[in-house]
């Protein structure tokens, strides 16, 4: 019993020291001791272990306040890598990420038209290539997938586009590669990416990412942690009803959900209907020739019809976001996904709608902005989930890919 406790304390201290090294570019042993309140002897022992494992190195001398100049330590950013996957794009995207969150290599993989097992094989192919290309041990794999995910068990409960139902993705990938795996919903991964790497924020701050693509989801970070909700489906705002009367049928079976009026698909459909009645528009006259890209070009050229369609979608987004802001009082709202191409006019429309729906006091200091990471938000977020677990860096060994054919 006593032995177990000592072991736990040691592990805890090792994590604490490594976390402090993560949070600083360069730092001395004395400074680590001061910040962690561990003794200098304990810090020196742990640092010696970290140096032995190749995780940390001495990088020179710091300035002295009298006496000997302290030796500075730094994390060896490429001593381990983590892998982030984004399964929510038209082509799967995978990235090999170093310990400082820098993408060292990316790979893409076509998504098989048949869902189910063929898609699992495509995920393996992508991972095999990334693992083989890793110059140092892979410490973990983070996967952002569309659909409903049970983050506790790593089971994809339902991902319609990939043909997955109750797929134990984490168990499968862990068994094949022999490293820890995290599976999370794509919007949650995007939120984690923007929170970790997308600019300035306080360490315990909160943010909401609204991810608008073919589907719409929100990722919610509260006090630095992903908020999953009791059923694991927090942030499913795509299926909040925003059209009270005469709404279109949604793939979930309801009428008038946010996805039916503000997803990229809904924007294209709406433009196709409107162009039939328009006298002049920069959009192609034949509805079937209207694509999302055509709308983007017409919008940028100031076409009134394109602007009307897009900004209408923005108002519906604002309505759905207002319930989150009104409930959680989160001040940083970040849009990611294809709609971010419509830039400031869309952001202004969302903000205007929030002002009409939320108490002014709640909106003080609220910002609606476009994500900083672009299409890389999900792979970076998925890898950030792994980087947060410092303990997995200690047991990083080479994944079993060598035996994979
Ligand atoms: Zn729906």
């Amino acid at each position: 019993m006593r032995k177990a406790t000592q072991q736990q304390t040691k592990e805890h201290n090792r994590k604490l020291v490594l976390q402090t090294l993560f949070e600083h570019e360069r730092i001395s042993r004395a400074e680590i001791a001061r910040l962690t309140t561990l003794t200098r002897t304990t810090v020196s022992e742990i640092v010696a272990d970290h140096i032995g494992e190749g995780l940390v190195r001495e990088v020179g001398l710091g300035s002295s306040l009298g006496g000997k100049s302290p030796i500075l330590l730094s994390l060896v950013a490429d001593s381990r890598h983590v892998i982030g996957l984004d399964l929510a794009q038209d082509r799967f995207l995978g990235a090999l990420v170093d310990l400082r969150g820098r993408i060292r290599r990316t790979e893409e993989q076509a998504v098989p038209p048949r869902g189910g097992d063929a898609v699992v094989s495509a995920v393996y192919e992508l991972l095999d290539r990334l693992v083989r290309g890793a110059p140092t041990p892979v410490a973990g794999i983070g996967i952002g997938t569309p659909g409903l995910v049970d983050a506790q068990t790593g089971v994809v409960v339902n991902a319609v586009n990939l043909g997955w139902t109750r797929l134990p993705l984490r168990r499968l990938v862990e068994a094949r590669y022999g490293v820890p795996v995290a599976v999370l919903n794509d919007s949650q991964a995007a939120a984690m990416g923007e929170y970790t790497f997308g600019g300035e924020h306080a360490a315990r701050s909160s943010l909401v990412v609204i991810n608008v693509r073919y589907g719409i989801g929100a990722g919610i970070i509260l006090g630095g942690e992903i908020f999953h909700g009791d059923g694991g489906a927090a942030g499913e705002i795509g299926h909040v009803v925003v059209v009270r009367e005469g709404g279109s049928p949604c793939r979930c079976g309801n009428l008038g959900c946010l996805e039916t009026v503000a997803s990229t698909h809904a924007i294209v459909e709406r433009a196709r209907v409107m162009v039939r009645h328009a006298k002049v528009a920069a959009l192609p006259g034949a509805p079937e020739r209207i694509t999302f890209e055509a709308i983007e070009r017409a919008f940028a050229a100031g076409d009134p019809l394109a602007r009307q369609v897009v900004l209408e979608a923005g108002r519906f987004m604002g309505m759905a976001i207002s319930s989150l802001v009104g409930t959680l009082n989160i001040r940083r709202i970040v849009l990611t996904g294809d709609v971010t191409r419509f830039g400031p006019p869309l952001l202004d429309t969302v903000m205007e709608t929030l002002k009409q729906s939320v108490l002014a006091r709640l909106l003080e200091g609220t910002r609606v902005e476009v994500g900083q990471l672009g299409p890389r938000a999900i792979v970076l977020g998925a890898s950030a989930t792994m980087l947060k677990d410092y303990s997995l860096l200690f047991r990083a060994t080479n994944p079993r890919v060598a035996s994979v054919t």
Side-chain angles (χ1 to χ4, degrees):
M1 187 66 198
R2 188 177 152 75
K3 203 172 172 190
T5 313
Q6 277 176 355
Q7 188 60 29
Q8 280 165 2
T9 307
K10 200 177 162 201
E11 279 301 307
H12 174 77
N13 291 346
R14 277 158 66 86
K15 270 174 79 166
L16 203 58
V17 169
L18 196 58
Q19 185 181 350
T20 311
L21 280 151
F22 258 88
E23 287 163 0
H24 298 83
E25 217 35 68
R26 289 153 170 253
I27 188 168
S28 68
R29 288 173 178 83
E31 186 64 4
I32 294 174
R34 193 183 67 78
L35 291 169
T36 58
T37 67
L38 297 172
T39 66
R40 288 200 184 204
T41 317
T42 305
V43 169
S44 290
E45 279 170 19
I46 293 174
V47 165
D49 282 353
H50 288 341
I51 291 176
E53 288 164 358
L55 275 166
V56 172
R57 71 174 152 233
E58 295 181 338
V59 288
L61 297 177
S63 53
S64 157
L65 299 168
K68 232 171 86 183
S69 299
I71 297 170
L72 295 179
L73 304 163
S74 183
L75 192 70
V76 181
D78 59 357
S79 61
R80 306 280 190 277
H81 286 80
V82 293
I83 289 175
L85 291 193
D86 175 0
L87 309 184
Q89 310 272 2
D90 297 337
R91 292 174 68 77
F92 290 162
L93 176 66
L96 198 61
V97 179
D98 76 14
L99 299 185
R100 288 283 184 212
R102 288 181 295 236
I103 293 180
R104 309 315 306 206
R105 183 190 182 111
T106 58
E107 294 278 351
E108 289 187 12
Q109 177 75 32
V111 185
R114 285 177 303 113
D117 290 346
V119 178
V120 175
S121 299
V123 170
Y124 289 162
E125 259 184 66
L126 179 59
L127 282 172
D128 287 355
R129 274 187 277 136
L130 286 163
V131 170
R132 281 202 195 98
T136 57
V138 171
I141 299 171
I143 304 176
T145 170
L148 184 58
V149 176
D150 181 336
Q152 288 284 322
T153 58
V155 170
V156 182
V157 179
N158 190 15
V160 180
N161 300 346
L162 304 178
W164 287 348
T165 308
R166 299 217 59 80
L167 180 81
L169 187 61
R170 185 171 83 196
R171 189 167 58 71
L172 292 173
V173 177
E174 277 184 347
R176 185 177 165 94
Y177 297 96
V179 295
V181 174
V183 180
L184 57 168
N185 165 272
D186 58 337
S187 302
Q188 293 176 335
M192 202 63 214
E194 292 292 345
Y195 176 78
T196 311
F197 302 116
E200 295 291 304
H201 61 81
R204 300 290 296 164
S205 62
S206 304
L207 75 88
V208 173
V209 160
I210 312 292
N211 187 26
V212 185
R213 305 185 188 202
Y214 188 86
I216 302 177
I220 304 168
I221 306 275
L222 292 180
E225 302 287 338
I226 295 178
F227 177 69
H228 293 285
D230 288 341
E236 275 293 325
I237 61 162
H239 301 285
V240 168
V241 174
V242 289
V243 185
R244 290 283 160 213
E245 279 172 39
S248 308
C250 178
R251 60 193 172 117
C252 73
N254 240 333
L255 295 174
C257 293
L258 181 63
E259 273 192 21
T260 67
V261 287
S263 68
T264 54
H265 177 70
I267 289 173
V268 171
E269 283 303 310
R270 181 82 181 132
R272 286 177 175 174
V273 170
M274 301 262 298
V275 82
R276 291 200 182 96
H277 309 292
K279 289 194 177 68
V280 282
L283 287 163
E288 65 279 5
R289 286 181 47 219
I290 294 181
T291 59
F292 192 72
E293 284 67 33
I295 295 170
E296 191 189 339
R297 281 194 298 275
F299 184 88
D303 178 61
L305 196 151
R307 287 185 75 85
Q308 189 186 336
V309 169
V310 168
L311 299 183
E312 199 172 80
R315 275 189 287 280
F316 284 119
M317 281 175 220
M319 283 167 66
I321 296 168
S322 67
S323 59
L324 283 175
V325 175
T327 313
L328 300 171
N329 191 203
I330 290 177
R331 289 184 169 156
R332 191 163 159 224
I333 317 290
V334 180
L335 290 190
T336 61
D338 303 315
V339 296
T340 54
R341 300 181 209 166
F342 301 116
L346 178 67
L347 299 180
D348 291 347
T349 304
V350 171
M351 195 64 205
E352 276 307 309
T353 314
L354 286 179
K355 282 181 186 160
Q356 289 159 13
S357 337
V358 181
L359 278 178
R361 202 177 62 74
L362 279 175
L363 282 181
E364 274 170 29
T366 298
R367 289 183 294 158
V368 182
E369 59 194 72
V370 167
Q372 300 291 310
L373 307 178
R376 296 183 158 194
I378 294 174
V379 286
L380 281 171
S383 62
T385 310
M386 301 314 295
L387 286 176
K388 272 181 65 141
D389 183 4
Y390 305 105
S391 58
L392 65 84
L393 299 178
F394 305 132
R395 41 190 157 83
T397 48
N398 275 306
R400 292 183 198 133
V401 77
S403 61
V404 174
T405 47

